[in-house]
Amino acid sequence: MIQQKIPGKPVTVTINGKKYRANEGEILLSVAIREKIEIPHLCFEASLDPYGACRLCMVEVVRKGKREMATSCTLRAADGLEVLTDTPEIEKHRSILFELYLAEAPKSDVIRDMAAHYGVTRTRFLKRIEQGDPLGNKCVLCGLCVRACSEIMGAGAINFINRGPYTVVNTPYYAPSRDCFGCGACVRVCPTNAIEMEDVGADRVMKSWSDTRVPLSQCECCGRYYAPRELSASVLARLDTPLKEEIARLCPECRGKQLAQNEILAGRGGRATHG
Ligand code: SF4
Ligand code: FES
């Protein structure tokens, strides 16, 4: 469940010897991102609770002269917290992880470029290449798509299937999903661009998810198919001020134009009345 956190009191944290302001309880990785301090990460998504799955965001925490490793996406800012992001131990840990990810997702340009940025261009591990892999041999099993689908959208259309080295993400039994809204949240959060989705005619096709097809709404003005039908209906139904039916049947662009036109006409009417 996503927990909304109220910003805590201002605190000072030290990253690589430099002091930064943060809110107490703020995720250290968020502080680093805000301050443009490079920490590689794959499974962190601000709209989801931190999970600590990819282990790439490790930093060293300095406490009373001792150091211990921690994932910066689960570490919370507290006054006096001191971390180091690029020690030899961290670099060694990252290199091994990058080698593992190069083997796990051998076709991912994102992983290849990220690893190369940290000086890792080869892997000693056996590359996992599967012919016809629905995720194009680009998935690192970070779980973000699964969590976005269930925790943000409440759909639960995809999940981890199989175990151990055979673990993959897909729909149950590789069958087209009836629970998928075709919202594309999974595509948006995937750090390796592994998920394929395409609008084909009147359907959105979630190619990676067993070719699940979701019908799209068609704009009554321009004829364009523009958004998953059920999803847009449920969003429109939840608006505080409901849209008139003839406006609700338009795509966002035509809707905007129509509303602007209505306002201009209403303005003219107003002026005519008062003139
Ligand atoms: S498809 Fe993308 S988001 Fe989903 S587990 Fe694989 S890498 Fe993560
Ligand atoms: S981003 Fe922290 S463990 Fe993945």
Side-chain angles (χ1 to χ4, degrees):
M1 199 169 115
I2 304 162
Q3 285 165 20
Q4 299 295 336
K5 296 211 167 53
I6 301 156
K9 62 175 186 187
V11 293
T12 302
V13 296
T14 305
I15 306 176
N16 298 333
K18 202 172 158 195
K19 294 195 182 328
Y20 297 93
R21 299 295 277 170
N23 292 315
E24 190 172 47
E26 193 179 356
I27 290 168
L28 191 89
L29 181 58
S30 301
V31 179
I33 292 170
R34 187 175 64 235
E35 298 295 345
K36 304 201 169 25
I37 299 162
E38 236 183 65
I39 300 178
H41 55 275
L42 283 170
C43 72
F44 175 68
E45 160 62 41
S47 54
L48 290 166
D49 276 344
Y51 185 55
C54 74
R55 318 306 287 175
L56 257 184
C57 69
M58 284 283 192
V59 292
E60 280 199 306
V61 182
V62 186
R63 273 193 199 109
K64 294 182 184 158
K66 288 193 179 161
R67 293 183 189 179
E68 59 187 46
M69 284 209 205
T71 45
S72 60
C73 68
T74 56
L75 192 61
R76 301 281 177 176
D79 210 30
L81 175 72
E82 186 182 347
V83 301
L84 299 165
T85 66
D86 289 308
T87 65
E89 287 72 22
I90 294 291
E91 282 168 14
K92 197 166 142 197
H93 167 86
R94 267 181 206 156
S95 297
I96 293 172
L97 277 178
F98 275 127
E99 282 199 55
L100 280 167
Y101 287 130
L102 284 173
E104 181 78 38
K107 299 282 181 189
S108 168
D109 294 346
V110 176
I111 296 293
R112 199 196 49 225
D113 294 350
M114 213 175 174
H117 179 75
Y118 288 93
V120 182
T121 51
R122 288 172 186 210
T123 177
R124 286 164 290 173
F125 301 100
L126 194 65
K127 287 189 182 173
R128 173 169 145 164
I129 299 191
E130 244 181 80
Q131 296 305 321
D133 176 15
L135 293 165
N137 294 296
K138 294 179 185 173
C139 176
V140 289
L141 297 173
C142 72
L144 276 180
C145 55
V146 175
R147 298 179 64 220
C149 187
S150 73
E151 292 175 36
I152 298 177
M153 297 309 298
I158 48 171
N159 213 330
F160 288 103
I161 46 183
N162 304 329
R163 282 173 183 228
Y166 305 104
T167 308
V168 290
V169 174
N170 218 295
T171 54
Y173 307 106
Y174 290 102
S177 173
R178 289 187 188 175
D179 300 318
C180 177
F181 297 127
C183 65
C186 53
V187 178
R188 194 185 63 76
V189 296
C190 177
T192 61
N193 303 328
I195 305 162
E196 273 194 76
M197 168 178 99
E198 198 185 341
D199 289 353
V200 182
D203 288 332
R204 173 158 295 173
V205 186
M206 304 304 298
K207 292 180 158 184
S208 298
W209 308 141
S210 316
D211 276 334
T212 293
R213 297 182 92 89
V214 179
L216 295 168
S217 295
Q218 187 175 23
C219 175
E220 286 200 353
C221 177
C222 67
R224 191 166 67 87
Y225 290 100
Y226 63 95
R229 199 191 296 156
E230 263 188 54
L231 192 64
S232 48
S234 82
V235 170
L236 290 174
R238 274 186 268 144
L239 291 178
D240 288 340
T241 319
L243 288 178
K244 282 186 184 163
E245 214 175 305
E246 63 272 20
I247 299 280
R249 289 198 294 255
L250 305 180
C251 70
E253 285 77 18
C254 293
R255 197 176 294 159
K257 280 184 204 160
Q258 189 61 57
L259 288 171
Q261 212 171 12
N262 290 356
E263 255 180 54
I264 292 167
L265 289 174
R268 275 191 198 147
R271 272 203 301 278
T273 320
H274 294 106

